[in-house]
């Protein structure tokens, strides 16, 4: 590690009020925003919490770093019954939970922790179900409450989960952040002390890094878990330096004040490519950026209006101005990097004249007024939502539709759009598990209205195709259902699909073994610094 870097990292640590041994290897990650919280079961937005959860927690099964392949996690093996209803997991022995000032575990990880992790989200009579006001968005969007029949500890290191119906993406779903394994003993101790919310504010897991502290809007600090079941991480200390401005993140990266940064400005990519101190990594994103119509609010209840507004937007111009070469026009709600992508679907053509006629057919020859909500933060699928909203506003004005652009602080934006306050809005998604179900059902299924389905779209012919795809383990059959679903989606137009972005991650040259996470998180286990 270069001395300048060590000094910068050490300086940051001291400034945050923490001490650090000079010889220790400290990696500093410049993140784009403050976490919504530290319990990954509560959130879907992926601002910092996902990166945090992947350091602190393990799952029963997990994704191999940098891939969509499912490998053992806290379960060292598993089996599935022939009819696809029973999953039996053999758990690792000797796995330790983190210790903290408030928690000293008296036992190793076991089946009770798996049961607590499920039942907190699933059962309303669980004493922790309402603690911290968690909404369990993922758990509910995936229809887990209806899907699960029972979960039982066969013995301390064997867990059996029984489903009501076969669910092809079940294992992939268990590898997601919302199934991060929590400590039942920690929950019990905090309940006895009357400090239940500490479980969500001071996260305890079995992961490769232990949470040390959070200074709001400034820094999150972790240290390597010396007793990690897969071996101690090569770095000793991990610091998230919260830096909302992309230009400032880049300046810090150049100055050696951070080693890895999130979401570079598209305009900075050319300079990064020629910078001898920086390795600019890139990967086609498992994502989609879209404009959602609230299909429960007139006039967006009318498919003609949705189609007309979709035809009126010049997406080529948006991709040039907003993505600056780091995006491809999206025609489907799933990215082309995911299996079952239907390339035969015909994309919406930019045609303001046809859009004006269609709007008149729908009863709006003079247009109407609407809002368009724009995110206040950069995301992998949309580097500049405000600029995109202004371009859509100008395009819709040409067909007589007057737009008021609305924005809120990110947490508020997510809460209000989940409640359906918007008429139209900009949003997007980075896949969590490489399965088409994670886009189509989670974002557009009937059960997801009121959570991740911001278009509030519930169309039975579409939904039935998604259910059929879930129920069959045969990938060829599932592919056919998803291909049909993409055709129906395009006809119904609950979203205007805008772009799939290329994900860029600049890291300093002295960082070794870092891999881009296809699911948009940042995983620092296995990463080293020269």
């Amino acid at each position: 590690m270069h001395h300048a870097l060590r000094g910068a990292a050490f300086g940051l640590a001291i400034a945050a009020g923490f001490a650090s041994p000079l010889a220790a290897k400290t990696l500093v990650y410049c993140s784009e925003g403050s976490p919504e919280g530290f319990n990954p079961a509560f959130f879907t937005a992926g601002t910092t919490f996902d990166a945090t959860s992947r350091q602190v927690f393990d799952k029963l099964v997990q994704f191999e770093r940098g891939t969509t392949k499912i490998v053992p996690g806290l379960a060292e093996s598993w089996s599935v019954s022939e009819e696809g209803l029973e999953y039996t997991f053999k758990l690792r022995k000797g796995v330790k939970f983190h210790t903290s000032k408030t928690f000293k575990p008296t036992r190793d990880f076991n089946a009770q922790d798996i049961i607590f992790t499920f039942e907190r989200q699933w059962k309303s009579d669980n004493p922790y179900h309402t603690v911290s006001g968690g909404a369990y968005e993922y758990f509910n969007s995936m229809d887990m409450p209806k899907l699960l029949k029972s979960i039982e500890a066969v013995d301390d290191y064997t867990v059996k989960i029984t489903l009501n119906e076969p669910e092809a993406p079940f294992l992939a779903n268990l590898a997601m952040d919302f199934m991060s394994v929590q400590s039942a003993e920690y929950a019990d101790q905090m309940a006895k002390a009357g400090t239940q919310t500490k479980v969500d504010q001071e996260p305890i897991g079995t992961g490769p890094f232990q949470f040390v502290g959070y200074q709001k809007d400034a820094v999150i600090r972790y240290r390597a878990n010396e007793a990690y079941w897969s071996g101690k991480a090569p770095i000793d200390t991990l610091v998230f330096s919260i830096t909302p401005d992309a230009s400032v993140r880049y300046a810090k990266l150049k100055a050696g004040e951070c080693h890895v940064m999130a979401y570079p400005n598209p305009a900075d990519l050319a300079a990064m490519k020629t910078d001898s101190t920086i390795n600019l990594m890139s990967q086609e994103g498992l994502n989609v950026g879209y404009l959602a119509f609230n299909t429960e609010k007139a006039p967006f209840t009318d498919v003609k209006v949705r189609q007309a507004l979709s035809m009126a937007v010049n997406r080529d111009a948006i991709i040039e101005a907003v993505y600056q070469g780091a995006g491809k026009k999206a025609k489907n709600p799933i990215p082309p990097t995911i299996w079952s992508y239907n390339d035969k679907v015909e994309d919406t053509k930019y045609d303001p004249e046809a859009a004006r006629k269609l709007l008149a057919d729908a009863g709006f020859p003079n247009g109407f007024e609407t809002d368009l909500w724009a995110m206040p933060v950069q995301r992998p699928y949309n580097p500049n939502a405000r600029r995109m909203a202004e371009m859509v506003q100008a395009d819709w004005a040409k067909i007589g539709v007057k737009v008021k652009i609305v924005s809120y602080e990110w947490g508020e934006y997510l809460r209000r759009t989940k409640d359906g306050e918007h008429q139209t809005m900009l949003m997007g998604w980075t896949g969590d598990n490489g399965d088409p179900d994670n886009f189509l059902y989670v974002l557009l299924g009937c059960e997801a209205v009121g959570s991740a389905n911001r278009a509030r779209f519930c169309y039975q012919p579409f939904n039935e195709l998604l259910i059929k795809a879930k129920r069959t383990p045969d990938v060829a059959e599932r592919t056919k259902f998803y291909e049909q679903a993409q055709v129906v989606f395009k006809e119904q137009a609950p979203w205007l699909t805008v772009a799939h972005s290329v994900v860029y991650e600049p890291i300093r040259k002295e960082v070794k073994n870092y891999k881009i996470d296809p699911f948009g998180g940042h995983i620092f286990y296995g990463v080293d610094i020269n």
Side-chain angles (χ1 to χ4, degrees), residues 380-391:
Y381 48 74
N382 190 335
N384 190 339
R386 181 80 200 189
R387 178 85 180 99
M388 189 183 289
E390 287 162 358
M391 293 180 79

Side-chain angles (χ1 to χ4, degrees), residues 450-461:
S451 53
N453 185 344
R454 298 304 210 273
R456 304 182 82 79
F457 176 67
C458 178
Y459 185 62
Q460 285 308 327

Side-chain angles (χ1 to χ4, degrees), residues 2-112:
H2 294 326
H3 293 294
L5 280 163
R6 184 184 290 150
F10 182 59
L12 180 58
I14 295 298
F18 303 113
S20 168
L22 269 174
K25 283 186 181 180
T26 297
L27 186 140
V28 183
Y29 162 58
C30 278
S31 74
E32 83 289 1
S34 300
E36 294 167 85
F38 292 107
N39 183 341
F42 292 165
F43 310 107
T44 63
T47 308
T48 304
F49 90 81
D50 61 354
T52 296
S53 72
R54 289 165 208 200
Q55 324 312 323
V56 173
F57 297 107
D58 289 312
K59 273 82 74 178
L60 261 176
V61 295
Q62 59 194 14
F63 296 106
E64 187 174 20
R65 203 161 61 98
T67 74
T68 60
K69 184 183 171 194
I70 296 167
V71 295
L74 289 174
E76 56 187 9
S77 67
W78 59 88
S79 58
V80 187
S81 65
E82 208 173 309
E83 77 286 5
L85 294 178
E86 279 185 10
Y87 288 72
T88 304
F89 297 91
K90 294 285 181 192
L91 307 181
R92 288 183 193 280
K93 294 179 178 172
V95 174
K96 313 286 182 197
F97 275 101
H98 304 152
T99 59
S100 71
K101 285 176 190 163
T102 49
F103 176 60
K104 304 285 182 281
T106 65
R107 64 161 174 83
D108 290 351
F109 153 79
N110 69 23
Q112 293 311 313

Side-chain angles (χ1 to χ4, degrees), residues 12-317:
L12 180 58
I14 295 298
F18 303 113
S20 168
L22 269 174
K25 283 186 181 180
T26 297
L27 186 140
V28 183
Y29 162 58
C30 278
S31 74
E32 83 289 1
S34 300
E36 294 167 85
F38 292 107
N39 183 341
F42 292 165
F43 310 107
T44 63
T47 308
T48 304
F49 90 81
D50 61 354
T52 296
S53 72
R54 289 165 208 200
Q55 324 312 323
V56 173
F57 297 107
D58 289 312
K59 273 82 74 178
L60 261 176
V61 295
Q62 59 194 14
F63 296 106
E64 187 174 20
R65 203 161 61 98
T67 74
T68 60
K69 184 183 171 194
I70 296 167
V71 295
L74 289 174
E76 56 187 9
S77 67
W78 59 88
S79 58
V80 187
S81 65
E82 208 173 309
E83 77 286 5
L85 294 178
E86 279 185 10
Y87 288 72
T88 304
F89 297 91
K90 294 285 181 192
L91 307 181
R92 288 183 193 280
K93 294 179 178 172
V95 174
K96 313 286 182 197
F97 275 101
H98 304 152
T99 59
S100 71
K101 285 176 190 163
T102 49
F103 176 60
K104 304 285 182 281
T106 65
R107 64 161 174 83
D108 290 351
F109 153 79
N110 69 23
Q112 293 311 313
D113 303 305
I114 301 296
I115 289 172
F116 172 71
T117 298
F118 271 87
E119 292 194 344
R120 178 179 182 180
Q121 299 183 66
W122 178 21
K123 302 208 163 165
S124 55
D125 62 354
N126 182 283
Y128 266 82
H129 187 71
T130 56
V131 168
S132 308
Y136 311 115
E137 253 191 83
Y138 268 121
F139 196 82
N140 295 321
S141 288
M142 290 175 159
D143 221 1
M144 285 278 197
K146 279 190 194 164
L147 179 66
L148 294 168
K149 186 175 185 180
S150 66
I151 175 166
E152 58 190 295
V154 178
D155 58 44
D156 276 355
Y157 292 97
T158 312
V159 171
K160 187 166 84 175
I161 299 171
T162 308
L163 309 182
N164 287 309
E165 306 256 17
E167 174 83 354
F170 187 63
L171 269 180
N173 293 345
L174 293 189
M176 288 169 52
D177 289 339
F178 78 99
M179 289 313 300
S180 294
V181 174
Q182 316 269 332
S183 164
E185 189 185 19
Y186 182 35
D188 287 346
Q189 285 190 21
M190 294 307 105
K192 281 180 190 142
T195 55
Q196 288 95 322
T197 56
K198 269 198 178 159
V199 167
D200 303 316
Q201 293 158 356
E202 297 171 16
I204 293 283
T206 59
F209 293 96
Q210 178 166 341
F211 176 81
V212 174
Y214 171 46
Q215 187 177 326
K216 194 171 170 4
D217 300 332
V219 72
I220 316 168
R221 191 168 165 80
Y222 308 89
R223 67 167 169 264
N225 174 5
E226 300 278 346
Y228 188 50
W229 57 267
S230 193
K232 182 194 165 289
I235 55 171
D236 304 290
T237 306
L238 176 62
V239 177
F240 281 31
S241 174
I242 298 162
T243 314
D245 188 301
S247 303
V248 178
R249 290 199 293 277
Y250 183 29
K252 284 184 173 183
L253 192 74
K254 283 197 289 192
E257 288 175 33
C258 58
H259 301 93
V260 178
M261 70 168 270
Y263 313 133
N265 272 329
D268 290 334
L269 295 175
M272 288 176 176
K273 281 174 187 164
T274 59
D275 190 325
S276 62
T277 64
I278 288 171
N279 175 11
L280 182 63
M281 302 177 77
S282 68
Q283 187 169 287
E284 206 168 316
L286 196 75
N287 64 40
V288 62
Y290 61 84
L291 186 157
F293 302 106
N294 187 336
T295 60
E296 289 183 346
K297 286 186 177 175
F300 308 104
T301 46
D302 187 340
V303 68
K304 283 183 179 173
V305 170
R306 302 196 298 264
Q307 287 170 340
L309 291 183
S310 298
M311 290 158 70
V313 176
N314 185 347
R315 287 175 295 154
D316 290 329

Side-chain angles (χ1 to χ4, degrees), residues 434-487:
D435 196 292
D437 178 84
N438 180 248
F439 282 81
L440 297 169
Y441 192 78
V442 172
L443 302 180
L444 292 156
C446 292
E447 283 296 326
V449 172
S451 53
N453 185 344
R454 298 304 210 273
R456 304 182 82 79
F457 176 67
C458 178
Y459 185 62
Q460 285 308 327
F462 178 79
N463 207 62
E464 280 161 23
L465 288 166
L466 305 186
I467 300 290
K468 283 177 184 168
K470 276 178 173 292
R471 299 287 175 254
T472 173
D474 186 284
V475 172
E477 280 294 296
R478 291 187 75 202
T479 295
K480 281 180 198 162
F481 291 131
Y482 289 136
E483 284 175 348
Q484 285 173 266
Q486 288 164 74
V487 173

